Amino acid sequence: MENILLDVRGLKTYFHISLGVVRAVDGVNLCVSKGEAVGLVGESGCGKTMTAHSIMKLVPSPPGFIEEGEIWFRNTDLLRLGEQEMRKFRGREVSMVFQDPMTYLNPVMKVGKQIAEVLVSPTRDRTVIKLLESVGIPDPLKVADQYPHELSGGMRQRVLIAIAMANDPPLLIADEPTTALDVTIQAQILDLIKTIKTEKGTSLLLITHDLGIVAEMCDRVYVMYAGKIVESGDVFSIFEEPLHPYAQGLLRSSLSIAEFRENLETIEGTVPNLLDPPSGCRFHPRCPMAMSVCKEKEPSLIQEKPGHEVSCWLYEKDGRDRNHS
Ligand SMILES: Nc1ncnc2c1ncn2[C@@H]1O[C@H](COP(=O)(O)OP(=O)(O)O)[C@@H](O)[C@H]1O
Ligand code: SF4
Ligand SMILES: [Mg+2]
């Protein structure tokens, strides 16, 4: 257990809007061990970003509130820390990179200064250049003296990674870090993250809708659907034998994985509105395997194989019996 760095338990993050309550994250459990790369995968709107923002305590509030749960980082429950303590925590213990670096970077401050601002180290100027070098920026002296808008998307993402890694945090959360980039640049940024992970032993929580990226980067994966974790396990067993019909659908519809398969399929329908999610198993309106029990009762997360958990009535003895009765 002492190997566990991040342990999220029963996390619920809701948005209170005029139409009602959006259950964006609805009872999520997940953990990341030291040096481990963990994927969080699911279609857009499933609650991945809000899970990450909850961990960083960056949920826009109001209307968003963490309603329940615990977020343990080593021996500290982050939900018990005040904002001042959280500020020290962010960047030193956990850092985050985002899909769009421009929303994070200050448009009117030169890149070098933005990196220097987050550094705790006294030898700032030298460290800034070293950091830019370490994220593969070819002309660090020049880039340090530029504004974010003067850089390409890929370079901006490198700068954001430099800022995230400035104080060597043990955990990096990357939320769709390459989604906005074209394919070649995407591969370069993923390579960079991989190198950082190998060289520094940084743990990684990688959020993506792309199972191909998970296959390439991660040791373990959580599949998220409509605010809940529906399957988790090591990458090998989930790719070899996905258990949840949603995970099976994701795999069949993954472009990068379909290259190796006969045909590409899509999952019919869309992610439900989390204001009023479907009863029972939230996937039932889209599930080709749905049974009568699926509409009525929510399946629990059960361990189907060592380290491989799934939440689906197909794997609950009780569910199969009921359906046949
Ligand atoms: N500020 C907000 N107000 C209301 N609902 C929100 C807000 N931000 C996110 N949500 C809702 O939370 C759910 C999860 O969003 P998000 O975590 O961004 O999903 P993902 O990252 O998986 O695409 C969505 O249904 C979204 O509409
Ligand atoms: S519980 Fe039922 S509806 Fe949900 S994924 Fe399993 S079979 Fe499909
Ligand atoms: Mg997102």
Side-chain angles (χ1 to χ4, degrees):
M1 276 312 191
E2 73 218 30
N3 236 357
I4 291 181
L5 196 58
L6 174 76
D7 190 1
V8 176
R9 297 184 197 159
L11 178 68
K12 294 189 177 177
T13 304
Y14 294 175
F15 290 90
H16 296 260
I17 59 173
S18 55
L19 292 170
V21 180
V22 181
R23 294 171 164 78
V25 180
D26 210 6
V28 161
N29 294 304
L30 71 81
C31 63
V32 179
S33 295
K34 282 182 196 153
E36 193 183 30
V38 173
L40 180 58
V41 69
E43 291 162 290
S44 177
C46 281
K48 307 181 298 295
T49 294
M50 285 311 137
T51 302
H53 284 191
S54 303
I55 296 166
M56 300 298 285
K57 295 227 277 185
L58 291 172
V59 174
S61 179
F65 296 93
I66 297 176
E67 310 270 334
E68 261 183 60
E70 293 166 17
I71 301 175
W72 289 92
F73 188 84
R74 295 207 178 98
N75 298 319
T76 310
D77 181 2
L78 301 186
L79 296 186
R80 288 165 189 268
L81 296 186
E83 179 52 26
Q84 201 132 22
E85 291 166 299
M86 260 325 276
R87 257 187 224 146
K88 277 188 232 151
F89 186 87
R90 290 187 205 111
R92 288 190 210 176
E93 302 289 352
V94 187
S95 276
M96 189 163 167
V97 293
F98 308 85
Q99 177 175 336
D100 179 12
M102 275 316 252
T103 57
Y104 181 84
L105 294 171
N106 182 344
V108 297
M109 195 192 282
K110 285 181 178 172
V111 161
K113 185 142 191 272
Q114 295 195 48
I115 299 177
E117 286 219 322
V118 299
L119 279 171
V120 250
S121 136
T123 53
R124 287 183 172 184
D125 291 348
R126 220 170 352 124
T127 319
V128 167
I129 302 304
K130 262 206 196 141
L131 270 166
L132 286 170
E133 251 166 15
S134 75
V135 294
I137 285 180
D139 193 349
L141 273 170
K142 182 174 160 215
V143 169
D145 203 38
Q146 286 180 310
Y147 291 98
H149 74 263
E150 298 177 89
L151 306 176
S152 68
M155 282 298 153
R156 274 182 220 147
Q157 195 54 285
R158 286 179 195 271
V159 168
L160 197 56
I161 293 172
I163 291 175
M165 294 312 297
N167 299 309
D168 269 336
L171 176 64
L172 177 68
I173 301 178
D175 187 1
E176 310 259 10
T178 61
T179 305
L181 305 171
D182 61 44
V183 181
T184 12
I185 310 293
Q186 218 176 63
Q188 291 171 7
I189 297 292
L190 291 175
D191 270 348
L192 170 63
I193 294 175
K194 237 189 219 170
T195 308
I196 289 172
K197 189 190 162 287
T198 324
E199 285 178 1
K200 305 200 174 222
T202 314
S203 302
L204 180 66
L205 179 59
L206 179 67
I207 296 175
T208 175
H209 63 278
D210 185 344
L211 273 173
I213 291 180
V214 170
E216 202 175 309
M217 302 282 295
C218 299
D219 307 311
R220 224 153 45 76
V221 58
Y222 291 89
V223 180
M224 190 163 187
Y225 185 74
K228 292 177 184 285
I229 302 296
V230 296
E231 183 164 353
S232 70
D234 69 80
V235 165
F236 185 78
S237 42
I238 290 203
F239 280 80
E240 186 73 6
E241 194 187 355
L243 299 172
H244 198 284
Y246 179 61
Q248 293 167 356
L250 271 186
L251 203 60
R252 279 196 296 268
S253 64
S254 163
L255 256 182
S256 37
I257 295 183
E259 288 168 23
F260 307 100
R261 289 173 186 253
E262 297 282 284
N263 49 357
L264 180 69
E265 294 172 33
T266 51
I267 310 176
E268 270 186 52
T270 50
V271 174
N273 185 338
L274 299 179
L275 253 178
D276 185 21
S279 60
C281 167
R282 289 182 176 183
F283 189 56
H284 86 252
R286 301 173 75 186
C287 182
M289 319 280 282
M291 308 169 284
S292 53
V293 61
C294 304
K295 258 181 245 175
E296 291 153 21
K297 264 189 82 179
E298 193 186 328
S300 47
L301 204 60
I302 55 160
Q303 177 154 304
E304 179 67 8
K305 295 174 186 172
H308 193 162
E309 293 191 324
V310 63
S311 162
C312 169
W313 283 112
L314 291 171
Y315 304 93
E316 293 206 33
K317 192 179 170 298
D318 188 32
R320 283 183 296 238
D321 289 350
R322 280 218 231 177
N323 208 54
H324 294 300
S325 63

